[in-house]
Amino acid sequence: MSIVSRRAFAGGMLASAFAPAHMAIGQSQDPGRIAIIDTPNNAAKFASKLSAHNVRVVVRYFARKPQPGLREKVMAFDGNMIDGVREPTILIRHGISIVSLYQYRNNLAAKFLDGLEDTGSAKAEVAADAKAALEQAKLVGQPEGSTIYFGVDFNLSKCGCGESGTPGRNRGAGSAPTRNSVDAVLEYFRTIGQTVGQSYAIGVYGNGLVNRILRDEKLVTYNWISASRSHEETSDFYNRGQWHLFQNQIGRRWFETAGKCSTGLDVDTNVQNPRVSDIGAWGAGQCEPSRTQAIFDQRRFAVRATSVFRENGGGGGLINRQSCTDNRVLKHGNVRILAQSGSWSHTDVDEDGNADGFVANSDLTANLVAMPRWDSTS
């Protein structure tokens, strides 16, 4: 078990330039708390809590059909209305803006290559998606001239080879995509631009490669990097600094209730590039630049998988969080720095706004400016 002297740490602990001493960690007005989330759940049910936690933007979905297990995913569906009011309207009333993301089985390369079962061709597939995006945007009152992102939620690759040089595979999506997949994605976005793009700006959500090629081809205006740190060109595109959003954590649950069948809001969290003031959100304005900068400044990448330590209740030092769910930060994962001293940082590792434990500074980058290049051997 790893032990660190509590006196050695506490003796040099900063009052914290990151989280002001007068402000409790997790307090709603904490400027470094995450401001942008995406969720497959009906966020209107949690609008008051999200507003109280100073969330400024919620990413919600368009899709042409419901998907099993995701009955609340699509913000335009009538089932998400509360007292006859649609979800985006409720969020906007609480001072929360929306980013629109179209995703209907966009994790499958086959969607872009051949179309899904109900369309039968790539041409019919993109036509069906474009029609649904335009109809649902109108239904929820999204103003023309704002933005709709479209997802490419698999590891788009130029060669279709795994890191070992052999053909790779994508979980749940068959063989890894080949150069033909790149061409198919480009054609899909050309059509999206010719249809949806006549009324809305277009963005893309995906790995570094798809963000780069679509930006270079001027087929998108907004770039959102998924939580795909090991995927093709993700670190390269991030380090170009031309992105708008970066999905820094996934699979979290906020406002969880106790009980046999716990409920809550399933969220992924996102960081806005402080170089940009506009991420394509609509409804209640953009995030304040000072807040965007504070969030960016307080986060780090883990250069390797690293342990999180907590104080020993007996006061004897720091102990590894062996009994906790988040007892390690994954390689290239994100942590929030709440305070630093010497060789240690006091961190929030799950973006709930609360302190979780200590991480060695040697396991963290100095800032969030550059994502470490992925190395499968480290």
Side-chain angles (χ1 to χ4, degrees), residues 194-206:
Q194 293 161 5
T195 52
V196 181
Q198 299 306 301
S199 301
Y200 297 95
I202 305 301
V204 62
Y205 164 86

Side-chain angles (χ1 to χ4, degrees), residues 44-263:
K45 294 179 179 179
F46 301 88
S48 295
K49 291 182 177 180
L50 290 169
S51 179
H53 283 71
N54 209 14
V55 170
R56 295 287 291 116
V57 178
V58 174
V59 181
R60 293 292 285 126
Y61 294 90
F62 296 141
R64 68 174 188 261
K65 291 182 180 180
Q67 293 176 248
L70 297 170
R71 62 184 179 85
E72 295 183 349
K73 178 178 178 180
V74 181
M75 61 176 157
F77 286 172
D78 291 347
N80 281 7
M81 296 173 72
I82 298 176
D83 295 330
V85 182
R86 293 201 177 275
E87 180 184 350
T89 300
I90 295 171
L91 292 173
I92 293 167
R93 288 175 180 175
H94 284 82
I96 299 169
S97 289
I98 297 97
V99 163
S100 299
L101 170 62
Y102 187 94
Q103 289 248 66
Y104 179 68
R105 299 175 68 186
N106 289 49
N107 61 321
L108 301 177
K111 173 185 176 75
F112 300 90
L113 287 165
D114 306 309
L116 300 175
E117 299 89 345
D118 62 330
T119 60
S121 72
K123 183 176 181 180
E125 183 72 23
V126 66
D129 285 351
K131 180 175 184 291
L134 287 167
E135 289 178 347
Q136 292 178 17
K138 182 177 181 180
L139 189 62
V140 300
Q142 179 172 350
E144 292 193 2
S146 57
T147 303
I148 301 176
Y149 287 78
F150 288 78
V152 182
D153 204 6
F154 57 89
N155 188 14
L156 188 69
S157 168
K158 289 177 291 187
C159 68
C161 297
E163 292 171 343
S164 64
T166 58
R169 298 187 68 83
N170 291 311
R171 184 174 62 186
S175 299
T178 64
R179 181 64 193 177
N180 287 336
S181 296
V182 174
D183 293 338
V185 168
L186 284 167
E187 185 58 33
Y188 179 95
F189 275 84
R190 289 189 188 103
T191 302
I192 289 296
Q194 293 161 5
T195 52
V196 181
Q198 299 306 301
S199 301
Y200 297 95
I202 305 301
V204 62
Y205 164 86
N207 70 1
L209 174 64
V210 72
N211 272 281
R212 178 184 64 78
I213 61 173
L214 292 176
R215 184 178 180 88
D216 288 350
E217 293 290 328
K218 296 181 171 55
L219 294 174
V220 297
T221 305
Y222 294 89
N223 294 89
W224 180 7
I225 304 174
S226 62
S228 56
R229 297 165 180 83
S230 67
H231 287 188
E232 185 145 356
E233 294 191 22
T234 289
S235 60
D236 292 339
F237 186 77
Y238 180 97
N239 294 339
R240 282 173 60 167
Q242 295 177 322
W243 51 276
H244 294 76
L245 289 169
F246 166 58
Q247 192 176 53
N248 72 316
Q249 291 209 17
I250 59 174
R252 301 302 182 185
R253 175 166 286 185
W254 288 2
F255 318 128
E256 188 167 19
T257 60
K260 184 177 180 180
C261 297
S262 63
T263 60

Side-chain angles (χ1 to χ4, degrees), residues 300-306 329-334 363-365 372:
R300 304 287 187 272
F301 290 106
V303 297
R304 61 187 66 84
T306 183
V329 178
L330 298 178
K331 184 173 75 169
H332 297 189
N334 257 198
D363 289 336
L364 303 174
T365 57

Side-chain angles (χ1 to χ4, degrees), residues 2-45:
S2 301
I3 302 283
V4 179
S5 166
R6 183 181 182 184
R7 177 175 296 179
F9 183 89
M13 174 62 78
L14 300 177
S16 181
F18 299 100
H22 67 275
M23 182 174 290
I25 301 303
Q27 187 173 325
S28 61
Q29 297 307 309
D30 175 1
R33 186 165 190 154
I34 209 74
I36 304 169
I37 65 168
D38 61 268
T39 178
N41 301 141
N42 183 355
K45 294 179 179 179

